[in-house]
Short mmCIF file of all heavy atoms in Angstrom, two decimals:
data_model
loop_
_atom_site.label_atom_id
_atom_site.label_comp_id
_atom_site.label_asym_id
_atom_site.label_seq_id
_atom_site.Cartn_x
_atom_site.Cartn_y
_atom_site.Cartn_z
N MET A 1 193.62 -157.38 -148.01
CA MET A 1 193.22 -156.03 -148.05
C MET A 1 193.95 -155.33 -146.95
O MET A 1 194.06 -155.76 -145.82
CB MET A 1 191.71 -156.03 -147.69
CG MET A 1 190.88 -156.58 -148.84
SD MET A 1 189.06 -156.31 -148.59
CE MET A 1 188.81 -157.27 -147.12
N LYS A 2 194.41 -154.20 -147.23
CA LYS A 2 195.13 -153.19 -146.41
C LYS A 2 194.30 -151.96 -146.11
O LYS A 2 193.75 -151.45 -147.07
CB LYS A 2 196.47 -152.87 -146.92
CG LYS A 2 197.43 -154.13 -146.91
CD LYS A 2 198.83 -153.71 -147.20
CE LYS A 2 199.67 -154.96 -147.17
NZ LYS A 2 201.10 -154.61 -147.08
N ALA A 3 194.23 -151.63 -144.91
CA ALA A 3 193.57 -150.31 -144.54
C ALA A 3 194.38 -149.12 -144.83
O ALA A 3 195.56 -149.11 -144.64
CB ALA A 3 193.03 -150.45 -143.10
N ARG A 4 193.75 -148.04 -145.20
CA ARG A 4 194.31 -146.77 -145.31
C ARG A 4 193.52 -145.81 -144.36
O ARG A 4 192.31 -145.86 -144.35
CB ARG A 4 194.29 -146.30 -146.80
CG ARG A 4 194.83 -147.19 -147.77
CD ARG A 4 196.48 -147.13 -147.69
NE ARG A 4 197.03 -147.85 -148.75
CZ ARG A 4 197.87 -148.82 -148.56
NH1 ARG A 4 198.09 -149.27 -147.42
NH2 ARG A 4 198.29 -149.48 -149.60
N PHE A 5 194.29 -144.91 -143.64
CA PHE A 5 193.64 -144.03 -142.75
C PHE A 5 193.81 -142.62 -143.26
O PHE A 5 194.95 -142.16 -143.61
CB PHE A 5 194.25 -144.25 -141.40
CG PHE A 5 194.15 -145.60 -140.86
CD1 PHE A 5 195.14 -146.48 -141.12
CD2 PHE A 5 193.05 -145.99 -140.23
CE1 PHE A 5 195.05 -147.86 -140.62
CE2 PHE A 5 192.87 -147.30 -139.73
CZ PHE A 5 193.90 -148.22 -139.91
N LEU A 6 192.69 -141.96 -143.26
CA LEU A 6 192.71 -140.56 -143.87
C LEU A 6 192.23 -139.59 -142.77
O LEU A 6 191.24 -139.75 -142.11
CB LEU A 6 191.61 -140.49 -145.01
CG LEU A 6 191.59 -139.20 -145.77
CD1 LEU A 6 192.75 -139.00 -146.60
CD2 LEU A 6 190.34 -139.22 -146.62
N ILE A 7 193.14 -138.61 -142.49
CA ILE A 7 193.00 -137.60 -141.48
C ILE A 7 193.03 -136.25 -142.04
O ILE A 7 193.97 -135.91 -142.69
CB ILE A 7 193.90 -137.81 -140.28
CG1 ILE A 7 193.87 -139.17 -139.67
CG2 ILE A 7 193.69 -136.72 -139.20
CD1 ILE A 7 194.91 -139.40 -138.70
N THR A 8 192.01 -135.49 -141.90
CA THR A 8 191.89 -134.18 -142.46
C THR A 8 191.72 -133.06 -141.34
O THR A 8 190.83 -133.16 -140.53
CB THR A 8 190.77 -134.07 -143.44
OG1 THR A 8 190.80 -135.12 -144.35
CG2 THR A 8 190.71 -132.69 -144.14
N SER A 9 192.60 -132.10 -141.32
CA SER A 9 192.42 -130.93 -140.48
C SER A 9 192.71 -129.62 -141.23
O SER A 9 193.38 -129.68 -142.20
CB SER A 9 193.34 -131.09 -139.22
OG SER A 9 194.68 -130.92 -139.62
N ASP A 10 192.28 -128.53 -140.67
CA ASP A 10 192.43 -127.23 -141.36
C ASP A 10 193.90 -126.93 -141.24
O ASP A 10 194.42 -126.23 -142.19
CB ASP A 10 191.50 -126.19 -140.73
CG ASP A 10 190.14 -126.39 -141.02
OD1 ASP A 10 189.80 -127.03 -142.05
OD2 ASP A 10 189.30 -125.93 -140.25
N GLU A 11 194.52 -127.14 -140.17
CA GLU A 11 196.03 -126.70 -139.95
C GLU A 11 196.96 -127.54 -140.80
O GLU A 11 197.95 -126.98 -141.25
CB GLU A 11 196.33 -126.83 -138.48
CG GLU A 11 195.53 -125.93 -137.56
CD GLU A 11 194.09 -126.35 -137.34
OE1 GLU A 11 193.84 -127.51 -137.59
OE2 GLU A 11 193.43 -125.52 -136.70
N PHE A 12 196.73 -128.84 -141.00
CA PHE A 12 197.72 -129.70 -141.65
C PHE A 12 197.27 -130.22 -142.99
O PHE A 12 198.00 -130.88 -143.64
CB PHE A 12 198.07 -130.88 -140.65
CG PHE A 12 198.67 -130.37 -139.47
CD1 PHE A 12 197.94 -130.40 -138.23
CD2 PHE A 12 200.00 -130.01 -139.42
CE1 PHE A 12 198.46 -129.94 -137.04
CE2 PHE A 12 200.55 -129.57 -138.23
CZ PHE A 12 199.86 -129.54 -137.09
N GLY A 13 196.02 -129.98 -143.29
CA GLY A 13 195.54 -130.51 -144.59
C GLY A 13 195.09 -132.02 -144.49
O GLY A 13 194.62 -132.44 -143.43
N THR A 14 195.39 -132.68 -145.55
CA THR A 14 194.94 -134.17 -145.55
C THR A 14 196.13 -134.96 -145.50
O THR A 14 197.11 -134.83 -146.23
CB THR A 14 194.18 -134.49 -146.91
OG1 THR A 14 193.06 -133.57 -146.93
CG2 THR A 14 193.66 -135.86 -146.90
N VAL A 15 196.04 -136.03 -144.67
CA VAL A 15 197.17 -136.97 -144.39
C VAL A 15 196.65 -138.41 -144.62
O VAL A 15 195.60 -138.77 -144.08
CB VAL A 15 197.72 -136.84 -142.94
CG1 VAL A 15 198.89 -137.87 -142.78
CG2 VAL A 15 198.14 -135.47 -142.63
N LEU A 16 197.31 -139.16 -145.47
CA LEU A 16 196.93 -140.46 -145.76
C LEU A 16 197.99 -141.38 -145.22
O LEU A 16 199.17 -141.21 -145.52
CB LEU A 16 196.81 -140.72 -147.37
CG LEU A 16 196.51 -142.16 -147.70
CD1 LEU A 16 195.02 -142.49 -147.28
CD2 LEU A 16 196.52 -142.21 -149.19
N LEU A 17 197.59 -142.29 -144.22
CA LEU A 17 198.56 -143.18 -143.53
C LEU A 17 198.27 -144.64 -143.70
O LEU A 17 197.11 -144.98 -143.94
CB LEU A 17 198.58 -142.82 -142.03
CG LEU A 17 198.94 -141.39 -141.65
CD1 LEU A 17 198.54 -141.14 -140.29
CD2 LEU A 17 200.43 -141.21 -141.83
N ARG A 18 199.30 -145.41 -143.70
CA ARG A 18 199.09 -146.89 -143.81
C ARG A 18 199.06 -147.57 -142.49
O ARG A 18 198.51 -148.62 -142.31
CB ARG A 18 200.15 -147.49 -144.65
CG ARG A 18 200.08 -147.09 -146.19
CD ARG A 18 201.11 -147.90 -147.00
NE ARG A 18 202.43 -147.39 -146.75
CZ ARG A 18 203.56 -147.93 -147.22
NH1 ARG A 18 203.46 -148.98 -148.00
NH2 ARG A 18 204.70 -147.37 -146.88
N ARG A 19 199.75 -146.95 -141.53
CA ARG A 19 199.86 -147.62 -140.19
C ARG A 19 198.86 -147.14 -139.26
O ARG A 19 198.59 -145.97 -139.03
CB ARG A 19 201.20 -147.34 -139.55
CG ARG A 19 202.36 -147.96 -140.41
CD ARG A 19 202.71 -149.24 -139.89
NE ARG A 19 203.87 -149.73 -140.52
CZ ARG A 19 204.38 -150.96 -140.13
NH1 ARG A 19 203.81 -151.66 -139.31
NH2 ARG A 19 205.46 -151.34 -140.81
N ARG A 20 198.01 -148.05 -138.69
CA ARG A 20 197.00 -147.77 -137.65
C ARG A 20 197.55 -147.09 -136.43
O ARG A 20 196.96 -146.05 -135.92
CB ARG A 20 196.23 -149.00 -137.28
CG ARG A 20 195.08 -148.80 -136.29
CD ARG A 20 194.40 -150.12 -135.97
NE ARG A 20 193.36 -149.80 -134.99
CZ ARG A 20 193.48 -149.88 -133.72
NH1 ARG A 20 194.62 -150.32 -133.22
NH2 ARG A 20 192.48 -149.76 -132.80
N ARG A 21 198.68 -147.59 -136.01
CA ARG A 21 199.30 -146.97 -134.72
C ARG A 21 199.71 -145.52 -135.00
O ARG A 21 199.47 -144.64 -134.20
CB ARG A 21 200.50 -147.80 -134.40
CG ARG A 21 201.25 -147.28 -133.17
CD ARG A 21 202.45 -148.11 -132.81
NE ARG A 21 201.92 -149.27 -132.03
CZ ARG A 21 202.71 -150.17 -131.54
NH1 ARG A 21 204.01 -150.13 -131.80
NH2 ARG A 21 202.20 -151.19 -130.88
N ILE A 22 200.27 -145.15 -136.14
CA ILE A 22 200.54 -143.73 -136.34
C ILE A 22 199.40 -142.92 -136.56
O ILE A 22 199.33 -141.75 -136.07
CB ILE A 22 201.52 -143.65 -137.69
CG1 ILE A 22 202.76 -144.47 -137.45
CG2 ILE A 22 201.77 -142.27 -138.06
CD1 ILE A 22 203.65 -144.63 -138.60
N ALA A 23 198.27 -143.42 -137.23
CA ALA A 23 197.08 -142.66 -137.39
C ALA A 23 196.46 -142.43 -136.02
O ALA A 23 195.99 -141.27 -135.73
CB ALA A 23 196.12 -143.44 -138.28
N LYS A 24 196.53 -143.44 -135.14
CA LYS A 24 195.92 -143.25 -133.78
C LYS A 24 196.76 -142.23 -133.02
O LYS A 24 196.16 -141.31 -132.35
CB LYS A 24 195.96 -144.63 -133.14
CG LYS A 24 195.32 -144.61 -131.80
CD LYS A 24 195.29 -146.02 -131.27
CE LYS A 24 194.72 -146.21 -129.95
NZ LYS A 24 194.72 -147.59 -129.42
N ALA A 25 198.01 -142.25 -133.12
CA ALA A 25 198.95 -141.26 -132.45
C ALA A 25 198.72 -139.82 -133.00
O ALA A 25 198.64 -138.85 -132.15
CB ALA A 25 200.33 -141.65 -132.61
N LEU A 26 198.47 -139.73 -134.29
CA LEU A 26 198.31 -138.36 -134.83
C LEU A 26 196.87 -137.87 -134.33
O LEU A 26 196.77 -136.65 -133.97
CB LEU A 26 198.31 -138.44 -136.35
CG LEU A 26 197.93 -137.06 -137.08
CD1 LEU A 26 198.98 -135.98 -136.61
CD2 LEU A 26 198.02 -137.26 -138.56
N ARG A 27 195.92 -138.71 -134.33
CA ARG A 27 194.59 -138.22 -133.84
C ARG A 27 194.67 -137.86 -132.34
O ARG A 27 194.05 -136.82 -131.97
CB ARG A 27 193.52 -139.29 -134.00
CG ARG A 27 193.14 -139.55 -135.44
CD ARG A 27 191.95 -140.37 -135.57
NE ARG A 27 191.82 -141.54 -134.76
CZ ARG A 27 192.16 -142.79 -135.11
NH1 ARG A 27 192.59 -143.02 -136.31
NH2 ARG A 27 192.07 -143.72 -134.29
N TRP A 28 195.38 -138.64 -131.56
CA TRP A 28 195.57 -138.31 -130.12
C TRP A 28 196.25 -136.87 -130.03
O TRP A 28 195.92 -135.97 -129.21
CB TRP A 28 196.40 -139.39 -129.50
CG TRP A 28 196.71 -139.09 -128.05
CD1 TRP A 28 195.92 -139.27 -126.98
CD2 TRP A 28 197.83 -138.48 -127.55
NE1 TRP A 28 196.57 -138.86 -125.82
CE2 TRP A 28 197.72 -138.37 -126.14
CE3 TRP A 28 199.09 -138.02 -128.05
CZ2 TRP A 28 198.74 -137.82 -125.33
CZ3 TRP A 28 200.03 -137.51 -127.26
CH2 TRP A 28 199.88 -137.39 -125.85
N TRP A 29 197.34 -136.69 -130.80
CA TRP A 29 198.09 -135.47 -130.69
C TRP A 29 197.26 -134.24 -131.10
O TRP A 29 197.30 -133.20 -130.46
CB TRP A 29 199.34 -135.53 -131.51
CG TRP A 29 200.24 -134.33 -131.43
CD1 TRP A 29 201.25 -134.11 -130.55
CD2 TRP A 29 200.21 -133.17 -132.21
NE1 TRP A 29 201.83 -132.93 -130.75
CE2 TRP A 29 201.21 -132.32 -131.76
CE3 TRP A 29 199.46 -132.69 -133.25
CZ2 TRP A 29 201.47 -131.05 -132.28
CZ3 TRP A 29 199.71 -131.47 -133.79
CH2 TRP A 29 200.68 -130.68 -133.33
N LEU A 30 196.46 -134.41 -132.17
CA LEU A 30 195.58 -133.29 -132.62
C LEU A 30 194.55 -132.96 -131.58
O LEU A 30 194.24 -131.85 -131.22
CB LEU A 30 194.90 -133.73 -133.86
CG LEU A 30 195.78 -133.67 -135.25
CD1 LEU A 30 194.97 -134.39 -136.33
CD2 LEU A 30 196.21 -132.32 -135.55
N ARG A 31 194.04 -134.06 -130.94
CA ARG A 31 192.94 -133.79 -129.89
C ARG A 31 193.58 -133.13 -128.64
O ARG A 31 193.02 -132.20 -128.06
CB ARG A 31 192.37 -135.16 -129.50
CG ARG A 31 191.24 -135.08 -128.55
CD ARG A 31 190.59 -136.43 -128.43
NE ARG A 31 191.39 -137.53 -128.15
CZ ARG A 31 191.66 -138.55 -129.05
NH1 ARG A 31 191.03 -138.47 -130.19
NH2 ARG A 31 192.40 -139.49 -128.74
N GLN A 32 194.85 -133.56 -128.23
CA GLN A 32 195.45 -133.05 -127.10
C GLN A 32 195.82 -131.50 -127.27
O GLN A 32 195.94 -130.79 -126.36
CB GLN A 32 196.69 -133.78 -126.73
CG GLN A 32 196.41 -135.17 -126.15
CD GLN A 32 195.79 -135.02 -124.76
OE1 GLN A 32 196.13 -134.24 -123.98
NE2 GLN A 32 194.79 -135.92 -124.63
N ASN A 33 196.19 -131.19 -128.54
CA ASN A 33 196.59 -129.82 -128.79
C ASN A 33 195.42 -128.90 -129.24
O ASN A 33 195.62 -127.82 -129.64
CB ASN A 33 197.57 -129.77 -129.82
CG ASN A 33 198.93 -130.32 -129.22
OD1 ASN A 33 199.49 -129.73 -128.25
ND2 ASN A 33 199.35 -131.47 -129.65
N GLY A 34 194.22 -129.39 -129.20
CA GLY A 34 192.98 -128.65 -129.48
C GLY A 34 192.66 -128.36 -130.93
O GLY A 34 191.91 -127.47 -131.30
N PHE A 35 193.23 -129.13 -131.81
CA PHE A 35 192.94 -129.06 -133.26
C PHE A 35 191.66 -129.81 -133.58
O PHE A 35 191.43 -130.92 -133.04
CB PHE A 35 194.15 -129.53 -134.11
CG PHE A 35 195.33 -128.76 -133.94
CD1 PHE A 35 196.48 -129.31 -133.40
CD2 PHE A 35 195.41 -127.43 -134.49
CE1 PHE A 35 197.60 -128.61 -133.24
CE2 PHE A 35 196.61 -126.71 -134.32
CZ PHE A 35 197.65 -127.30 -133.72
N THR A 36 190.91 -129.34 -134.51
CA THR A 36 189.71 -130.15 -134.89
C THR A 36 190.09 -130.93 -136.18
O THR A 36 190.98 -130.50 -137.04
CB THR A 36 188.51 -129.19 -135.37
OG1 THR A 36 188.98 -128.31 -136.38
CG2 THR A 36 188.10 -128.43 -134.13
N TYR A 37 189.55 -132.13 -136.31
CA TYR A 37 190.01 -133.03 -137.44
C TYR A 37 188.79 -133.93 -137.69
O TYR A 37 187.84 -134.08 -137.05
CB TYR A 37 191.23 -133.80 -137.10
CG TYR A 37 191.02 -134.79 -135.96
CD1 TYR A 37 190.62 -136.04 -136.16
CD2 TYR A 37 191.20 -134.42 -134.60
CE1 TYR A 37 190.46 -136.97 -135.18
CE2 TYR A 37 190.95 -135.28 -133.55
CZ TYR A 37 190.65 -136.58 -133.80
OH TYR A 37 190.42 -137.45 -132.78
N LYS A 38 188.89 -134.54 -138.92
CA LYS A 38 187.98 -135.54 -139.33
C LYS A 38 188.82 -136.74 -139.74
O LYS A 38 189.91 -136.56 -140.29
CB LYS A 38 187.14 -135.06 -140.56
CG LYS A 38 186.22 -133.89 -140.27
CD LYS A 38 185.41 -133.58 -141.53
CE LYS A 38 184.59 -132.26 -141.17
NZ LYS A 38 183.86 -131.88 -142.39
N HIS A 39 188.31 -137.94 -139.50
CA HIS A 39 189.10 -139.08 -139.78
C HIS A 39 188.18 -140.16 -140.39
O HIS A 39 186.99 -140.19 -140.32
CB HIS A 39 189.79 -139.65 -138.61
CG HIS A 39 188.93 -140.09 -137.54
ND1 HIS A 39 188.54 -141.44 -137.39
CD2 HIS A 39 188.33 -139.47 -136.54
CE1 HIS A 39 187.74 -141.58 -136.37
NE2 HIS A 39 187.54 -140.46 -135.82
N ASN A 40 188.73 -140.94 -141.32
CA ASN A 40 188.03 -142.09 -141.97
C ASN A 40 189.03 -143.09 -142.37
O ASN A 40 190.26 -142.85 -142.33
CB ASN A 40 187.35 -141.49 -143.22
CG ASN A 40 186.27 -142.39 -143.70
OD1 ASN A 40 186.06 -143.52 -143.11
ND2 ASN A 40 185.59 -141.98 -144.65
N PHE A 41 188.65 -144.24 -142.61
CA PHE A 41 189.57 -145.31 -143.06
C PHE A 41 188.83 -146.06 -144.28
O PHE A 41 187.59 -146.04 -144.31
CB PHE A 41 189.98 -146.32 -142.03
CG PHE A 41 188.94 -147.23 -141.62
CD1 PHE A 41 188.84 -148.53 -142.18
CD2 PHE A 41 188.04 -146.89 -140.62
CE1 PHE A 41 187.91 -149.33 -141.73
CE2 PHE A 41 186.99 -147.79 -140.18
CZ PHE A 41 186.99 -149.00 -140.82
N PHE A 42 189.59 -146.63 -145.10
CA PHE A 42 189.08 -147.46 -146.15
C PHE A 42 189.94 -148.55 -146.55
O PHE A 42 191.16 -148.43 -146.16
CB PHE A 42 188.73 -146.55 -147.37
CG PHE A 42 189.90 -145.81 -147.95
CD1 PHE A 42 190.70 -146.26 -148.85
CD2 PHE A 42 190.15 -144.55 -147.43
CE1 PHE A 42 191.84 -145.51 -149.38
CE2 PHE A 42 191.14 -143.79 -147.78
CZ PHE A 42 191.99 -144.26 -148.90
N THR A 43 189.53 -149.51 -147.22
CA THR A 43 190.39 -150.68 -147.68
C THR A 43 190.33 -150.68 -149.11
O THR A 43 189.31 -150.32 -149.79
CB THR A 43 189.88 -152.02 -147.07
OG1 THR A 43 188.55 -152.20 -147.48
CG2 THR A 43 189.95 -152.00 -145.61
N ASN A 44 191.38 -151.14 -149.72
CA ASN A 44 191.41 -151.36 -151.22
C ASN A 44 191.08 -152.79 -151.47
O ASN A 44 191.77 -153.68 -151.06
CB ASN A 44 192.82 -150.96 -151.76
CG ASN A 44 193.96 -151.69 -151.08
OD1 ASN A 44 193.77 -152.22 -150.02
ND2 ASN A 44 195.07 -151.64 -151.64
N ARG A 45 189.95 -152.89 -152.06
CA ARG A 45 189.46 -154.23 -152.41
C ARG A 45 189.86 -154.57 -153.82
O ARG A 45 189.90 -153.80 -154.74
CB ARG A 45 187.96 -154.21 -152.31
CG ARG A 45 187.44 -154.04 -150.97
CD ARG A 45 185.96 -154.29 -150.82
NE ARG A 45 185.20 -153.46 -151.78
CZ ARG A 45 183.95 -153.68 -152.02
NH1 ARG A 45 183.22 -154.53 -151.34
NH2 ARG A 45 183.32 -152.91 -152.93
N PRO A 46 190.24 -155.81 -154.05
CA PRO A 46 190.65 -156.23 -155.45
C PRO A 46 189.43 -156.29 -156.28
O PRO A 46 188.28 -156.54 -155.98
CB PRO A 46 191.15 -157.71 -155.24
CG PRO A 46 190.60 -158.09 -153.94
CD PRO A 46 190.38 -156.96 -153.17
N SER A 47 189.61 -155.86 -157.49
CA SER A 47 188.46 -155.72 -158.40
C SER A 47 188.18 -157.18 -158.94
O SER A 47 188.91 -158.02 -159.10
CB SER A 47 188.89 -154.88 -159.64
OG SER A 47 190.14 -155.39 -160.21
N LEU A 48 186.84 -157.35 -159.12
CA LEU A 48 186.33 -158.68 -159.54
C LEU A 48 186.28 -158.90 -160.96
O LEU A 48 186.17 -158.03 -161.79
CB LEU A 48 184.95 -158.86 -159.02
CG LEU A 48 184.81 -158.64 -157.46
CD1 LEU A 48 183.35 -158.79 -156.99
CD2 LEU A 48 185.59 -159.97 -156.88
#
C-alpha cells in the first residue's frame, strides 16, 4: 500500500503528491508564507 497526500489551498488548488517529504515541505512553505490549506492522506488498498 502506498500513501497519497492531498493538499488543497485557495491559491494553488489541489495538489496530489506521492512523496511524504515533498508534501511535508509544501505544507511548511504554505504555513511560512501565510497561506491557508487543508491536507489529508489516503492509501490505495487492493480490492478483495
Side-chain angles (χ1 to χ4, degrees):
M1 291 189 294
K2 294 190 177 198
R4 303 287 189 238
F5 300 92
L6 186 68
I7 301 171
T8 305
S9 69
D10 292 335
E11 292 80 10
F12 298 103
T14 302
V15 180
L16 181 64
L17 298 165
R18 290 187 289 172
R19 297 272 186 173
R20 180 179 179 265
R21 180 178 277 180
I22 296 171
K24 188 175 176 182
L26 178 58
R27 289 193 315 264
W28 177 84
W29 186 87
L30 289 168
R31 188 172 46 252
Q32 288 295 319
N33 290 296
F35 296 113
T36 58
Y37 65 92
K38 294 179 184 177
H39 64 96
N40 199 357
F41 74 95
F42 55 92
T43 58
N44 53 347
R45 297 189 305 170
S47 54
L48 299 174

